Amino acid sequence: MAIFVTGSTGYLGSYLVAGLLREHRDSLNLLVRAKSPQEARERLWKSLQLHFEFSEFSELLNSRVRVFLGDLTNEFFGLPDDAYHELVDSTGSILHCAASLNRKSERQCLNVNLRGALEVIQLARRAQSRNGLRRYSHVSTVAVAGRRQNEIVTEDASIDWARSDYDPYARTKKFGEHMVRQLLHDVPTTIFRPAIVMGDSRWPQTTQFDMVQAFDVLARLPVLPLRPDDRIDIVPANYVGKAIVTIHQKDSPAHSIYHLSSGAGSQTFRELTDALAAAGKTGKPMYWPWLGGPFSGMVEWLSRRGGATGYGASLLKVFWPYLNWNTVFDNSRVIAELDGEAPAKFSTYAYPLLKFSRKNKFRYPAQSWPTAANSAISAIAGQARA
């Protein structure tokens, strides 16, 4: 029986697939949106080359991965009947990571985060009826906690239906959790809520730049419209990936909901800017919190301009509420599950991450699919036809 994983071509999804392939022996069923098997393989390679050399990736792809060409938002994922039945029959657990992070588009969030999640839940119901489902893991977000200010939030106190949400992303993810609880009451379920996932504490490379680029805009300002002692909850992708994979594979996790966050270890803006200044040998910014209103207006104006400045301002506009809420999320549960391991502090890897991102103009220098591999695939296909 295989683990069905959604979102495998995304940033966090790549950590889940790599962790499952490296640390465990299960086969994987991956849903990939592509027009052909080769396009699907190339999308997976672009995502997973952060974690594997091509030879190892190719061997694992051929030996332990079954790719299903489908779309999360289509009924039965748009799969032919025989392929969908095979997916149901071979799925022993589900790890649903795919999501739209487009905080500006309610339509896209509704389509992916609710309609898509419902299709995955339908698969879970059918797999449960067919062979029994070992676990359904759902990747959500700490943003389901809604508008907060100056709080430490625990898992069980996060959902407050009377509280306003920051954006369509947070709103649809909150309803996604609700669907899991209502529709999979007879299946072991685990909900994971990452905080702001940014970078990898082991290396500077990343393929996810939106939050990094917004952070870069702030890092270049001589004056910051923030309270210097406010904390921001940032967690590295490698810690989040390890936590999800480890807990998903456990027979009996201690809890059903986990914050994947920095928690009480979250750093202040002053700690982060001091670390960046020391690493880059630059001056430290001044903090003028009273500039928050005028700064928000300036960002709104800049976001309507073209070019890199306009794009960076548009990202900052989207993430501004998350930078200004001084709220962190208790992570004692996940630390206990990982035998006391806490996430690395953002200040220890922020400068290498920014340096890599700036050097590559906030684009990952992805390697192409090797030509020799295409030739080998063509030869195998020719032998099969013969």
Side-chain angles (χ1 to χ4, degrees), residues 333-349:
R333 287 182 178 181
V334 70
I335 288 176
E337 289 283 13
L338 297 183
D339 299 324
E341 181 183 349
K345 293 184 180 299
F346 185 55
S347 62
T348 64
Y349 67 93

Side-chain angles (χ1 to χ4, degrees), residues 12-327:
L12 182 55
S14 75
Y15 280 82
L16 305 186
V17 171
L20 289 168
L21 291 175
R22 276 235 161 89
E23 305 299 328
H24 301 274
R25 304 183 68 177
D26 304 74
S27 297
L28 303 185
N29 288 336
L30 305 183
L31 183 72
V32 180
R33 191 174 66 252
K35 295 178 180 178
S36 69
Q38 181 57 26
E39 182 184 346
R41 285 189 286 264
E42 290 180 12
R43 289 197 66 200
L44 285 168
W45 167 233
K46 186 176 181 180
S47 170
L48 289 167
Q49 61 191 248
L50 264 179
H51 310 276
F52 299 107
E53 296 294 333
F54 183 79
S55 58
E56 186 180 11
F57 161 80
S58 182
E59 180 182 350
L60 289 167
L61 184 66
N62 292 329
S63 61
R64 289 177 52 195
V65 174
R66 170 75 187 274
V67 176
F68 292 82
L69 305 183
D71 190 316
L72 193 71
T73 61
N74 289 340
E75 187 177 14
F76 306 122
F77 308 128
L79 296 172
D81 288 347
D82 57 344
Y84 188 80
H85 290 316
E86 186 172 348
L87 177 61
V88 171
D89 289 345
S90 63
T91 292
S93 70
I94 294 175
L95 212 172
H96 178 41
C97 180
S100 170
L101 279 71
N102 188 339
R103 291 170 168 84
K104 295 181 289 185
S105 173
E106 185 164 8
R107 182 178 65 179
Q108 189 170 345
C109 285
L110 285 169
N111 200 32
V112 177
N113 300 345
L114 290 184
R115 185 180 170 197
L118 184 58
E119 281 299 323
V120 182
I121 289 171
Q122 294 277 35
L123 171 68
R125 290 250 46 90
R126 293 174 180 121
Q128 171 74 351
S129 298
R130 183 69 172 170
N131 298 304
L133 200 64
R134 183 182 64 80
R135 180 163 304 284
Y136 184 99
S137 290
H138 182 86
V139 181
S140 184
T141 170
V142 295
V144 298
R147 292 184 179 273
R148 305 269 178 165
Q149 198 72 37
N150 308 322
E151 293 184 55
I152 298 177
V153 183
T154 62
E155 285 90 345
D156 295 335
S158 289
I159 299 296
D160 179 354
W161 291 99
R163 193 179 296 268
S164 298
D165 301 305
Y166 275 113
D167 50 38
Y169 169 69
R171 190 174 310 116
T172 54
K173 294 298 281 185
K174 182 166 71 176
F175 275 89
E177 287 193 20
H178 184 65
M179 288 194 303
V180 170
R181 284 189 287 267
Q182 293 295 312
L183 301 177
L184 295 176
H185 52 85
D186 58 336
V187 174
T189 60
T190 308
I191 291 172
F192 297 102
R193 296 179 184 148
I196 297 172
V197 179
M198 190 156 41
D200 188 307
S201 62
R202 304 166 300 177
W203 55 58
Q205 291 86 352
T206 182
T207 59
Q208 219 311 320
F209 292 101
D210 284 358
M211 193 65 195
V212 180
Q213 197 159 355
F215 190 77
D216 175 65
V217 173
L218 289 174
R220 294 180 184 275
L221 296 176
V223 176
L224 290 173
L226 299 165
R227 295 180 295 270
D229 296 321
D230 278 7
R231 290 186 291 173
I232 181 168
D233 200 323
I234 298 173
V235 65
N238 52 304
Y239 186 85
V240 173
K242 178 180 179 178
I244 293 173
V245 167
T246 300
I247 295 170
H248 178 82
Q249 294 293 77
K250 285 192 173 187
D251 291 331
S252 301
H255 304 278
S256 61
I257 307 173
Y258 293 88
H259 283 160
L260 309 183
S261 59
S262 292
S266 298
Q267 295 178 282
T268 66
F269 286 112
R270 192 191 301 279
E271 287 175 319
L272 295 180
T273 54
D274 284 356
L276 286 174
K281 298 179 174 57
T282 59
K284 300 176 184 179
M286 294 181 289
Y287 285 89
W288 293 354
W290 54 270
L291 275 178
F295 178 79
S296 181
M298 182 186 71
V299 168
E300 173 70 34
W301 177 73
L302 287 174
S303 69
R304 294 193 292 267
R305 299 181 61 187
T309 300
Y311 182 68
S314 69
L315 292 174
L316 192 55
K317 174 185 172 183
V318 169
F319 290 116
W320 178 251
Y322 296 93
L323 300 176
N324 202 35
W325 62 350
N326 190 35
T327 296

